[in-house]
Amino acid sequence: MTISDAKSDPGGDDRDSEIAKETELVFLRNRVKELEVENAKLLSQVSSCQCQQMEVKHDRSLSDSSSLVRRRRVRKGDKNSIPSHLISKRYVALKIMYFGKRFYGFSAEAQMEPSIESEVFKALERTRLLVGDKKDSCYSRCGRTDKGVSSTGQVIALFLRSRLKSPPGDSKAQVNGRTGERPEYDYVRVLNRALPDDIRVIGWSPAPIDFHARFSCYAREYKYFFWRQNLNLSAMDFAGKKFIGEHDFRNFCKMDVANVHCYTRRVTFFEVSPCQNSHEGDQLCTFTMRGSAFLWHQIRCMVAVLFMIGQGVESVDVIDTLLDTKKTPRKPQYLLASEIPLVLRTCEFENVDFICSPGAAESLRSHFKNESLTYQLESVIYQEALRNCLPLSNNVSTEESSCNGVEKKKKRAEHVPLLSRPTEPSYEERTAKLKPRKEETLACVV
């Protein structure tokens, strides 16, 4: 090209430089994309490695109870914490035993502590079996036993940490318990080492995703223990058999009209039977009641009326009268039977088989035996105190014990027949009273 040609085309060098720049820019963009892909792969490998290392640490901590219970909780934002969606978990049903005397019922929702439920979740958090929080665990319980009531077969269900490597949606793997070569965590043994002495997990079972501890239960069985004394067992058994079948039990419960609108329940079994235990010639007996579900305080109301029949102050026919809600729409006022002797014995489900490892089962037997011996020792101490009580004549003077030559005796309250007592408001009266409150609440919200 001559000088004259160059002068005739002054923009040629500029176009060449622009083309070079565009080529270099395309190369750099492609290189950045390649580096981003490589960086993502490296981050994935690092995350996977950390998860495996942390999982091994969790496995070791769960297998060693002493280090498990003392292990520090991972704080939010801790660089060693694993996102919950990366943790293997499975849906599990737990069978729980508890001695209810010192607890304010099973449920923690009443905000009265201690409760059995709050103690169970403390143990789940300490053992790090709980993934996330209670809301994330799809938690359900079979029943809400009241303050002082015990259980040998309460059931709860929730997601727990697992060695299971199948995807969370693989329900068949969760039910069949495929865990590869590694065995599943011994949930019974691990949790019992973190629970107080009066609460124990006695079994666990894999559960399908649609399992619900309350609504999947088809039968519940209660036992109520009592001393025979002078009670008429045959009359109570005959009267108790009248509960069998489907009835409206609104006169045998505490009505909660805000949440419960149907008071019909089915009782499938009732029996009065003596136990093997006795004390100073007095026989320990039990009521056994079985049904699909029970109302609030239903068992204790039924037992209270049966005791009146056993004492001979009420007729067996009073059961029929109280079950006839058209004839008796309002519940007579009467005291509940004590809550301490009441036990939720078992909750039954289809296709749920609870298991317990041999080691955990042996620990449970040893624990229950030791606790039983401890309570027997306490009973012996009370018996010794009873024997050491001073005679009444040594504590009470003649002037205090008699008046005009007649010994003072505490008058026994006369029994008022149930059907002659003041009554509580009927269901219809309660709901009518509740409607204005709901309207006021809605008006305040609006």
Side-chain angles (χ1 to χ4, degrees):
M1 182 174 64
T2 61
I3 295 175
S4 60
D5 294 333
K7 289 180 179 179
S8 65
D9 188 16
D13 292 341
D14 293 339
R15 282 195 296 272
D16 292 340
S17 62
E18 287 177 0
I19 292 171
K21 287 180 180 178
E22 289 179 0
T23 304
E24 185 178 0
L25 185 60
V26 170
F27 172 78
L28 290 173
R29 286 174 178 172
N30 292 334
R31 183 56 181 161
V32 168
K33 290 180 179 179
E34 291 175 359
L35 290 173
E36 287 178 347
V37 172
E38 292 180 7
N39 186 45
K41 290 180 179 180
L42 291 172
L43 288 173
S44 177
Q45 292 176 3
V46 170
S47 176
S48 177
C49 181
Q50 287 181 348
C51 288
Q52 291 177 2
Q53 291 177 353
M54 288 295 294
E55 192 176 51
V56 170
K57 291 180 181 179
H58 289 311
D59 292 349
R60 290 175 180 173
S61 67
L62 286 169
S63 62
D64 184 0
S65 64
S66 59
S67 62
L68 170 73
V69 175
R70 295 193 297 268
R71 191 176 181 86
R72 149 182 93 81
R73 288 180 62 187
V74 177
R75 298 177 182 176
K76 289 185 178 180
D78 193 330
K79 62 181 181 180
N80 293 326
S81 63
I82 307 175
S84 60
H85 67 278
L86 296 177
I87 299 175
S88 296
K89 56 184 179 181
R90 74 188 308 178
Y91 202 48
V92 169
L94 300 176
K95 182 181 282 190
I96 302 174
M97 171 272 166
Y98 49 87
F99 189 72
K101 186 176 181 179
R102 75 177 181 94
F103 296 103
Y104 287 93
F106 184 85
S107 174
E109 294 172 0
Q111 298 180 346
M112 297 288 288
E113 294 297 334
S115 68
I116 295 98
E117 197 170 67
S118 62
E119 293 293 336
V120 169
F121 272 90
K122 287 177 185 177
L124 289 169
E125 291 174 356
R126 293 180 70 188
T127 56
R128 305 181 75 174
L129 286 173
L130 185 65
V131 181
D133 56 19
K134 186 177 179 180
K135 293 180 181 179
D136 300 328
S137 66
C138 295
Y139 171 76
S140 62
R141 56 177 175 249
C142 187
R144 292 179 56 177
T145 53
D146 296 325
K147 174 185 176 183
V149 178
S150 302
S151 175
T152 58
Q154 174 73 279
V155 174
I156 65 172
L158 73 170
F159 276 103
L160 295 182
R161 186 187 298 273
S162 172
R163 289 194 175 111
L164 194 71
K165 293 304 178 186
S166 59
D170 189 357
S171 59
K172 291 183 179 179
Q174 293 196 15
V175 174
N176 297 331
R178 293 200 307 266
T179 58
E181 296 180 356
R182 294 192 301 169
E184 183 57 282
Y185 295 130
D186 191 344
Y187 295 115
V188 175
R189 193 181 189 93
V190 170
L191 283 170
N192 284 341
R193 287 173 171 171
L195 285 167
D197 289 339
D198 45 6
I199 303 177
R200 278 295 179 271
V201 176
I202 59 178
W204 75 276
S205 172
I209 299 299
D210 59 352
F211 177 83
H212 193 283
R214 178 184 175 189
F215 299 116
S216 299
C217 179
Y218 69 84
R220 297 164 174 86
E221 184 175 293
Y222 283 86
K223 280 183 174 288
Y224 192 97
F225 296 92
F226 63 96
W227 295 105
R228 179 171 183 172
Q229 298 179 338
N230 295 321
L231 295 172
N232 187 338
L233 295 187
S234 60
M236 291 192 295
D237 186 63
F238 182 76
K241 292 289 195 294
K242 293 177 178 291
F243 290 125
I244 296 176
E246 194 172 85
H247 303 284
D248 189 324
F249 284 94
R250 67 183 65 189
N251 289 327
F252 291 94
C253 73
K254 183 175 181 179
M255 278 195 283
D256 180 14
V257 296
N259 300 303
V260 181
H261 306 292
C262 178
Y263 293 86
T264 300
R265 295 294 185 271
R266 178 179 292 276
V267 175
T268 58
F269 179 82
F270 180 90
E271 184 181 58
V272 181
S273 58
C275 300
Q276 296 180 351
N277 307 67
S278 62
H279 176 68
E280 294 184 355
D282 198 358
Q283 182 73 41
L284 185 67
C285 301
T286 180
F287 295 117
T288 302
M289 286 154 279
R290 182 184 177 89
S292 55
F294 292 90
L295 297 163
W296 190 10
H297 289 170
Q298 181 180 340
I299 303 291
R300 294 169 62 190
C301 286
M302 292 164 63
V303 170
V305 176
L306 288 174
F307 279 158
M308 296 179 199
I309 295 171
Q311 294 165 0
V313 295
E314 288 289 346
S315 168
V316 172
D317 298 331
V318 76
I319 301 293
D320 297 315
T321 305
L322 292 175
L323 289 176
D324 187 351
T325 55
K326 291 183 179 180
K327 185 177 180 180
T328 314
R330 297 180 183 84
K331 174 189 173 185
Q333 295 179 1
Y334 56 88
L335 296 177
L336 291 171
S338 172
E339 70 278 8
I340 299 300
L342 181 58
V343 179
L344 172 58
R345 183 180 175 274
T346 184
C347 306
E348 298 185 10
F349 306 85
E350 292 182 355
N351 302 321
V352 176
D353 299 318
F354 291 95
I355 56 177
C356 181
S357 68
E362 184 61 32
S363 297
L364 279 170
R365 291 189 189 94
S366 176
H367 175 77
F368 291 149
K369 183 177 179 181
N370 291 335
E371 289 296 300
S372 177
L373 291 174
T374 299
Y375 281 104
Q376 289 182 45
L377 285 174
E378 292 180 4
S379 175
V380 170
I381 293 172
Y382 279 108
Q383 292 176 33
E384 186 66 21
L386 185 62
R387 283 191 291 267
N388 288 340
C389 281
L390 296 175
L392 184 62
S393 58
N394 291 349
N395 292 333
V396 184
S397 64
T398 305
E399 293 179 357
E400 292 175 334
S401 61
S402 62
C403 179
N404 296 327
V406 179
E407 184 178 357
K408 286 184 177 180
K409 291 184 179 179
K410 185 177 180 180
K411 290 185 178 180
R412 185 176 180 179
E414 293 184 3
H415 177 78
V416 178
L418 281 174
L419 302 180
S420 301
R421 297 186 182 189
T423 59
E424 298 177 2
S426 66
Y427 172 77
E428 291 74 18
E429 291 170 342
R430 291 175 187 268
T431 52
K433 190 175 181 180
L434 190 65
K435 285 182 180 179
R437 294 181 184 177
K438 288 184 177 180
E439 293 174 356
E440 290 177 5
T441 303
L442 291 173
C444 291
V445 172
V446 173

